[in-house]
Amino acid sequence: DGGITQSPKYLFRKEGQNVTLSCEQNLNHDAMYWYRQDPGQGLRLIYYSQIVNDFQKGDIAEGYSVSREKKESFPLTVTSAQKNPTAFYLCASTGGREVSQPQHFGDGTRLSIL
Amino acid sequence: GQNIDQPTEMTATEGAIVQINCTYQTSGFNGLFWYQQHAGEAPTFLSYNVLDGLEEKGRFSSFLSRSKGYSYLLLKELQMKDSASYLCAVTDSNYQLIWGAGTKLIIKP
């Protein structure tokens, strides 16, 4: 079955440490997205990529970095510069360029501070 | 600024009908999505509206009024498994998705 796989499901970060969240999709989608979800708030866009080797900052990119070396993969690194990283992180993808195309989501990674 | 408003929480009874409202103020409009999200899980797509009117899909229907900046999601014959958060999201003039904070729906037997 096609879908989006995020790993790990739970992740703990120590002070001063960078951690990388994995996102892989086998839907052959061009566009991929990273969101952060905090209690009581809407999804906030961190980074997105419309095509391989290209990505754009979202609304809250500071303290995060991404790469898009392969169509299937869009890993997110939470750097030590992100002072409040505790949140639920969701990866999504979209097929086609029609605005009506919904985003498909992975099951998320919950990141906490040790 | 851009803003989407939804009630934070609603409670309904199994077998009943519930309407979840969403109002938006965005720079342009290119469609409105509704998603369902169970606790700790991924959001899943429910409906998309770009023209005024009602879209029906089984027990779920979604309504849009562009002139009023208003949408609602109508859930009929509520089941316990419908307990979840319901997210409203609008595509603005730059084709960016703006998300509401979600409405947590609690179903009681």
Side-chain angles (χ1 to χ4, degrees):
Chain A
D1 286 338
I4 300 178
T5 302
Q6 289 187 242
S7 62
K9 191 170 179 68
Y10 299 95
L11 187 59
F12 298 91
R13 195 192 88 169
K14 296 179 181 178
E15 291 288 338
Q17 186 182 40
N18 293 353
V19 292
T20 298
L21 284 60
S22 170
C23 177
E24 303 279 332
Q25 55 100 356
N26 60 4
L27 298 167
N28 200 33
H29 285 175
D30 286 314
M32 297 186 73
Y33 308 82
W34 272 107
Y35 290 97
R36 171 179 171 143
Q37 187 174 34
D38 293 280
Q41 296 190 37
L43 301 183
R44 291 185 290 168
L45 184 64
I46 305 172
Y47 269 98
Y48 65 100
S49 168
Q50 303 278 28
I51 198 169
V52 175
N53 292 323
D54 187 50
F55 49 83
Q56 307 294 329
K57 291 182 179 180
D59 300 320
I60 56 165
E62 186 174 348
Y64 300 96
S65 66
V66 293
S67 63
R68 186 84 188 278
E69 296 176 3
K70 297 187 300 181
K71 187 176 185 178
E72 302 80 25
S73 179
F74 192 40
L76 174 74
T77 297
V78 183
T79 75
S80 57
Q82 173 50 246
K83 298 306 180 187
N84 183 24
T86 298
F88 189 48
Y89 290 86
L90 286 162
C91 179
S93 70
T94 307
R97 294 195 175 270
E98 297 82 10
V99 70
S100 61
Q101 287 291 319
Q103 293 187 3
H104 299 262
F105 287 85
D107 287 336
T109 293
R110 192 166 297 279
L111 176 62
S112 303
I113 293 288
L114 276 180
Chain B
Q2 309 207 84
N3 194 48
I4 295 184
D5 288 314
Q6 305 178 233
T8 302
E9 187 174 295
M10 299 182 70
T11 302
T13 305
E14 190 177 15
I17 299 173
V18 71
Q19 177 176 311
I20 302 174
N21 296 326
C22 170
T23 58
Y24 60 90
Q25 300 92 35
T26 56
S27 56
F29 178 84
N30 280 300
L32 185 145
F33 292 88
W34 282 98
Y35 284 80
Q36 179 191 60
Q37 185 180 24
H38 286 99
E41 297 183 9
T44 54
F45 169 72
L46 290 177
S47 67
Y48 173 75
N49 294 70
V50 67
L51 300 176
D52 289 351
L54 187 68
E55 295 275 346
E56 297 188 73
K57 200 183 282 188
R59 292 190 300 115
F60 292 7
S61 303
S62 56
F63 171 83
L64 175 68
S65 169
R66 288 172 296 171
S67 63
K68 295 182 179 178
Y70 168 69
S71 172
Y72 67 72
L73 182 68
L74 191 71
L75 290 73
K76 302 177 185 176
E77 301 169 15
L78 285 169
Q79 302 174 9
M80 297 303 293
K81 68 178 182 180
D82 297 330
S83 291
S85 289
Y86 292 86
L87 313 179
C88 173
V90 171
T91 304
D92 69 9
S93 56
N94 293 320
Y95 299 97
Q96 297 297 317
L97 259 184
I98 312 300
W99 293 84
T103 298
K104 182 178 181 180
L105 178 63
I106 299 168
I107 309 296
K108 295 186 175 180

PDB file of all heavy atoms in Angstrom, chain A residues 86-103:
ATOM      1  N   THR A  86       9.694  20.783  21.686  1.00  0.00           N
ATOM      2  CA  THR A  86       8.699  19.796  22.106  1.00  0.00           C
ATOM      3  C   THR A  86       7.392  20.014  21.364  1.00  0.00           C
ATOM      4  O   THR A  86       6.753  21.068  21.512  1.00  0.00           O
ATOM      5  CB  THR A  86       8.464  19.889  23.619  1.00  0.00           C
ATOM      6  OG1 THR A  86       9.683  19.582  24.306  1.00  0.00           O
ATOM      7  CG2 THR A  86       7.376  18.918  24.055  1.00  0.00           C
ATOM      8  N   ALA A  87       7.006  19.049  20.530  1.00  0.00           N
ATOM      9  CA  ALA A  87       5.802  19.182  19.708  1.00  0.00           C
ATOM     10  C   ALA A  87       5.577  17.871  18.962  1.00  0.00           C
ATOM     11  O   ALA A  87       6.388  16.948  19.029  1.00  0.00           O
ATOM     12  CB  ALA A  87       5.954  20.319  18.698  1.00  0.00           C
ATOM     13  N   PHE A  88       4.461  17.831  18.249  1.00  0.00           N
ATOM     14  CA  PHE A  88       4.120  16.718  17.365  1.00  0.00           C
ATOM     15  C   PHE A  88       4.438  17.176  15.951  1.00  0.00           C
ATOM     16  O   PHE A  88       3.953  18.213  15.502  1.00  0.00           O
ATOM     17  CB  PHE A  88       2.633  16.398  17.536  1.00  0.00           C
ATOM     18  CG  PHE A  88       2.160  15.151  16.862  1.00  0.00           C
ATOM     19  CD1 PHE A  88       2.851  13.955  16.994  1.00  0.00           C
ATOM     20  CD2 PHE A  88       0.988  15.147  16.111  1.00  0.00           C
ATOM     21  CE1 PHE A  88       2.402  12.787  16.391  1.00  0.00           C
ATOM     22  CE2 PHE A  88       0.523  13.983  15.502  1.00  0.00           C
ATOM     23  CZ  PHE A  88       1.231  12.811  15.640  1.00  0.00           C
ATOM     24  N   TYR A  89       5.301  16.422  15.245  1.00  0.00           N
ATOM     25  CA  TYR A  89       5.738  16.812  13.915  1.00  0.00           C
ATOM     26  C   TYR A  89       5.086  15.924  12.863  1.00  0.00           C
ATOM     27  O   TYR A  89       5.143  14.692  12.952  1.00  0.00           O
ATOM     28  CB  TYR A  89       7.264  16.728  13.806  1.00  0.00           C
ATOM     29  CG  TYR A  89       7.954  17.788  14.623  1.00  0.00           C
ATOM     30  CD1 TYR A  89       8.239  17.584  15.968  1.00  0.00           C
ATOM     31  CD2 TYR A  89       8.291  19.014  14.066  1.00  0.00           C
ATOM     32  CE1 TYR A  89       8.850  18.561  16.737  1.00  0.00           C
ATOM     33  CE2 TYR A  89       8.912  19.999  14.814  1.00  0.00           C
ATOM     34  CZ  TYR A  89       9.178  19.762  16.149  1.00  0.00           C
ATOM     35  OH  TYR A  89       9.783  20.740  16.914  1.00  0.00           O
ATOM     36  N   LEU A  90       4.490  16.555  11.887  1.00  0.00           N
ATOM     37  CA  LEU A  90       3.773  15.842  10.831  1.00  0.00           C
ATOM     38  C   LEU A  90       4.380  16.134   9.473  1.00  0.00           C
ATOM     39  O   LEU A  90       4.648  17.287   9.139  1.00  0.00           O
ATOM     40  CB  LEU A  90       2.300  16.260  10.814  1.00  0.00           C
ATOM     41  CG  LEU A  90       1.440  15.712  11.956  1.00  0.00           C
ATOM     42  CD1 LEU A  90       0.169  16.526  12.092  1.00  0.00           C
ATOM     43  CD2 LEU A  90       1.111  14.255  11.720  1.00  0.00           C
ATOM     44  N   CYS A  91       4.576  15.090   8.711  1.00  0.00           N
ATOM     45  CA  CYS A  91       5.051  15.198   7.334  1.00  0.00           C
ATOM     46  C   CYS A  91       3.866  14.919   6.407  1.00  0.00           C
ATOM     47  O   CYS A  91       3.018  14.063   6.707  1.00  0.00           O
ATOM     48  CB  CYS A  91       6.164  14.185   7.101  1.00  0.00           C
ATOM     49  SG  CYS A  91       6.835  14.157   5.433  1.00  0.00           S
ATOM     50  N   ALA A  92       3.787  15.638   5.303  1.00  0.00           N
ATOM     51  CA  ALA A  92       2.678  15.454   4.372  1.00  0.00           C
ATOM     52  C   ALA A  92       3.192  15.531   2.942  1.00  0.00           C
ATOM     53  O   ALA A  92       4.283  16.050   2.681  1.00  0.00           O
ATOM     54  CB  ALA A  92       1.602  16.514   4.606  1.00  0.00           C
ATOM     55  N   SER A  93       2.392  15.027   2.014  1.00  0.00           N
ATOM     56  CA  SER A  93       2.746  15.128   0.601  1.00  0.00           C
ATOM     57  C   SER A  93       1.480  15.363  -0.213  1.00  0.00           C
ATOM     58  O   SER A  93       0.365  15.052   0.236  1.00  0.00           O
ATOM     59  CB  SER A  93       3.463  13.872   0.114  1.00  0.00           C
ATOM     60  OG  SER A  93       2.586  12.774   0.059  1.00  0.00           O
ATOM     61  N   THR A  94       1.666  15.902  -1.410  1.00  0.00           N
ATOM     62  CA  THR A  94       0.569  16.163  -2.328  1.00  0.00           C
ATOM     63  C   THR A  94       0.958  15.716  -3.722  1.00  0.00           C
ATOM     64  O   THR A  94       2.072  16.013  -4.171  1.00  0.00           O
ATOM     65  CB  THR A  94       0.221  17.661  -2.386  1.00  0.00           C
ATOM     66  OG1 THR A  94       0.005  18.140  -1.073  1.00  0.00           O
ATOM     67  CG2 THR A  94      -1.026  17.900  -3.205  1.00  0.00           C
ATOM     68  N   GLY A  95       0.024  15.040  -4.405  1.00  0.00           N
ATOM     69  CA  GLY A  95       0.263  14.645  -5.781  1.00  0.00           C
ATOM     70  C   GLY A  95      -0.443  15.598  -6.724  1.00  0.00           C
ATOM     71  O   GLY A  95      -1.536  16.063  -6.431  1.00  0.00           O
ATOM     72  N   GLY A  96       0.142  15.944  -7.839  1.00  0.00           N
ATOM     73  CA  GLY A  96      -0.478  16.808  -8.815  1.00  0.00           C
ATOM     74  C   GLY A  96      -0.429  18.264  -8.407  1.00  0.00           C
ATOM     75  O   GLY A  96      -0.115  18.591  -7.259  1.00  0.00           O
ATOM     76  N   ARG A  97      -0.743  19.161  -9.308  1.00  0.00           N
ATOM     77  CA  ARG A  97      -0.665  20.596  -9.046  1.00  0.00           C
ATOM     78  C   ARG A  97      -2.043  21.225  -8.846  1.00  0.00           C
ATOM     79  O   ARG A  97      -2.156  22.418  -8.620  1.00  0.00           O
ATOM     80  CB  ARG A  97       0.058  21.294 -10.192  1.00  0.00           C
ATOM     81  CG  ARG A  97       1.516  20.886 -10.303  1.00  0.00           C
ATOM     82  CD  ARG A  97       2.323  21.832 -11.193  1.00  0.00           C
ATOM     83  NE  ARG A  97       3.738  21.475 -11.164  1.00  0.00           N
ATOM     84  CZ  ARG A  97       4.593  21.967 -10.287  1.00  0.00           C
ATOM     85  NH1 ARG A  97       4.183  22.806  -9.373  1.00  0.00           N
ATOM     86  NH2 ARG A  97       5.856  21.605 -10.313  1.00  0.00           N
ATOM     87  N   GLU A  98      -3.103  20.403  -8.940  1.00  0.00           N
ATOM     88  CA  GLU A  98      -4.434  20.962  -8.751  1.00  0.00           C
ATOM     89  C   GLU A  98      -4.600  21.409  -7.303  1.00  0.00           C
ATOM     90  O   GLU A  98      -4.220  20.690  -6.368  1.00  0.00           O
ATOM     91  CB  GLU A  98      -5.521  19.920  -9.084  1.00  0.00           C
ATOM     92  CG  GLU A  98      -5.522  19.466 -10.528  1.00  0.00           C
ATOM     93  CD  GLU A  98      -4.500  18.381 -10.798  1.00  0.00           C
ATOM     94  OE1 GLU A  98      -3.926  17.851  -9.827  1.00  0.00           O
ATOM     95  OE2 GLU A  98      -4.271  18.069 -11.972  1.00  0.00           O
ATOM     96  N   VAL A  99      -5.199  22.580  -7.114  1.00  0.00           N
ATOM     97  CA  VAL A  99      -5.345  23.129  -5.776  1.00  0.00           C
ATOM     98  C   VAL A  99      -6.289  22.285  -4.932  1.00  0.00           C
ATOM     99  O   VAL A  99      -6.239  22.333  -3.699  1.00  0.00           O
ATOM    100  CB  VAL A  99      -5.827  24.594  -5.852  1.00  0.00           C
ATOM    101  CG1 VAL A  99      -7.274  24.656  -6.323  1.00  0.00           C
ATOM    102  CG2 VAL A  99      -5.667  25.290  -4.525  1.00  0.00           C
ATOM    103  N   SER A 100      -7.104  21.480  -5.580  1.00  0.00           N
ATOM    104  CA  SER A 100      -8.053  20.639  -4.849  1.00  0.00           C
ATOM    105  C   SER A 100      -7.416  19.371  -4.286  1.00  0.00           C
ATOM    106  O   SER A 100      -8.068  18.621  -3.562  1.00  0.00           O
ATOM    107  CB  SER A 100      -9.216  20.239  -5.767  1.00  0.00           C
ATOM    108  OG  SER A 100      -8.714  19.501  -6.875  1.00  0.00           O
ATOM    109  N   GLN A 101      -6.164  19.117  -4.621  1.00  0.00           N
ATOM    110  CA  GLN A 101      -5.508  17.907  -4.140  1.00  0.00           C
ATOM    111  C   GLN A 101      -5.282  18.001  -2.630  1.00  0.00           C
ATOM    112  O   GLN A 101      -4.611  18.916  -2.150  1.00  0.00           O
ATOM    113  CB  GLN A 101      -4.160  17.719  -4.839  1.00  0.00           C
ATOM    114  CG  GLN A 101      -4.275  17.278  -6.279  1.00  0.00           C
ATOM    115  CD  GLN A 101      -4.803  15.867  -6.386  1.00  0.00           C
ATOM    116  OE1 GLN A 101      -4.420  14.986  -5.623  1.00  0.00           O
ATOM    117  NE2 GLN A 101      -5.708  15.641  -7.326  1.00  0.00           N
ATOM    118  N   PRO A 102      -5.807  17.038  -1.860  1.00  0.00           N
ATOM    119  CA  PRO A 102      -5.584  17.078  -0.413  1.00  0.00           C
ATOM    120  C   PRO A 102      -4.169  16.627  -0.063  1.00  0.00           C
ATOM    121  O   PRO A 102      -3.512  15.931  -0.846  1.00  0.00           O
ATOM    122  CB  PRO A 102      -6.605  16.080   0.130  1.00  0.00           C
ATOM    123  CG  PRO A 102      -6.785  15.099  -0.976  1.00  0.00           C
ATOM    124  CD  PRO A 102      -6.655  15.904  -2.257  1.00  0.00           C
ATOM    125  N   GLN A 103      -3.732  17.024   1.102  1.00  0.00           N
ATOM    126  CA  GLN A 103      -2.451  16.554   1.590  1.00  0.00           C
ATOM    127  C   GLN A 103      -2.639  15.218   2.312  1.00  0.00           C
ATOM    128  O   GLN A 103      -3.606  15.012   3.029  1.00  0.00           O
ATOM    129  CB  GLN A 103      -1.825  17.590   2.522  1.00  0.00           C
ATOM    130  CG  GLN A 103      -1.435  18.868   1.795  1.00  0.00           C
ATOM    131  CD  GLN A 103      -0.675  19.845   2.659  1.00  0.00           C
ATOM    132  OE1 GLN A 103      -0.366  19.577   3.815  1.00  0.00           O
ATOM    133  NE2 GLN A 103      -0.353  20.999   2.097  1.00  0.00           N
TER     134      GLN A 103
END
